[in-house]
Amino acid sequence: MTRKIGIIGLGHVGSAVAHGLITQGAADDYVFIDPNEKKVQAEALDFADANANLAYQVNITVNDWTALDDADLIIVALGKIALQGNNPSHDRFIELPFTAKQVPTVAEKLRATAFQGVLIVITNPVDVITTLFQRYTGYPKHKVIGTGTLLDTARMQRAVGQALKLDPRSVSGYNLGEHGNSQFTAWSTVRVLNQPIVDLIERYHLDLDQLDAEAKAGGFTVFDGKKFTSFGIAAAAIRLAQAVLSDSHSELVFSNYLAAYNLYLSYPAILGRQGVIASVPLTLLPNEEAKLTASYHYVNDKFHALID
């Protein structure tokens, strides 16, 4: 049985996602959707030119929404990263007026297909845009997810790993809440060297506030240097896609619907071919619970300011 992935938006991020998926042999067929016909055709041709030197053969269809009917998953990477160019507050909500307008049009076209797979949203501000996509498409909540703080968590793992001179994959734990300024590292969940990181603070002279700030600011440090981000977020989206395609039942942190808040926020969950299979309950410290609630209120206020 062939595997098919749709990618909507072939800008810096969408193209990086496509490249990563194709070189990993994640799927056999791809559907590229983008209103910039010249750009998306060029991306498809570029991959066709690479085929002879790649380990995996792929077939690419361009701007045919009906080809999404039997897709296993669709990744939405629409955006306008240039809007971040004049954004001293580093607030991802600066993209909301543009990206929110794209959702109804894309959702209408998706509803016209027979797609029944998992929708993975990258578009910022991702928690609000994921919420909007679920509402406009009417897809089951467990089948609509966002990349959320899977990337921020990776940035935390990188920062901690560098501080301890360890592979970031040796660090476990979560950043929770909004993929944005109100997200936070839940240090009570972070373990390294088979110990809670809070037990290592004095021995290794760790500054958790600084490490948290590095995780939060990482994306804008990258943006300041190259004027867009691509590889880190692409890796996060690909990891979610692979969990869906392989029905891995992986425990990951990403933006998913939290019934207690009636909103999408990042919290750990089990992910497989049917989307979110179960939430993973955490026992957070009181100050962490307060930060999660504050993050919810921040995103919720922005969301209702948009729709009310």
Side-chain angles (χ1 to χ4, degrees), residues 199-214:
D199 293 345
L200 303 174
I201 294 174
E202 292 186 9
R203 188 191 313 174
Y204 293 98
H205 309 290
L206 298 175
D207 184 338
L208 297 189
D209 290 337
Q210 178 60 36
L211 293 172
D212 182 78
E214 286 187 38

Side-chain angles (χ1 to χ4, degrees), residues 153-196:
T153 296
R155 288 172 174 151
M156 175 274 291
Q157 291 171 294
R158 181 260 303 160
V160 173
Q162 287 177 340
L164 296 175
K165 297 179 172 60
L166 290 172
D167 186 326
R169 290 168 294 189
S170 299
V171 182
S172 64
Y174 303 114
N175 279 45
L176 303 177
E178 175 207 6
H179 173 56
N181 290 347
S182 69
Q183 61 97 0
F184 65 98
T185 303
W187 291 113
S188 67
T189 70
V190 178
R191 294 184 64 87
V192 62
L193 301 174
N194 199 34
Q195 297 178 67

Side-chain angles (χ1 to χ4, degrees), residues 209-250:
D209 290 337
Q210 178 60 36
L211 293 172
D212 182 78
E214 286 187 38
K216 186 179 296 185
F220 292 96
T221 303
V222 172
F223 177 84
D224 287 343
K226 57 189 259 187
K227 302 310 173 188
F228 62 91
T229 62
S230 54
F231 301 129
I233 184 57
I238 290 167
R239 191 175 185 191
L240 294 175
Q242 291 282 28
V244 172
L245 290 170
S246 63
D247 196 25
S248 65
H249 291 212
S250 297

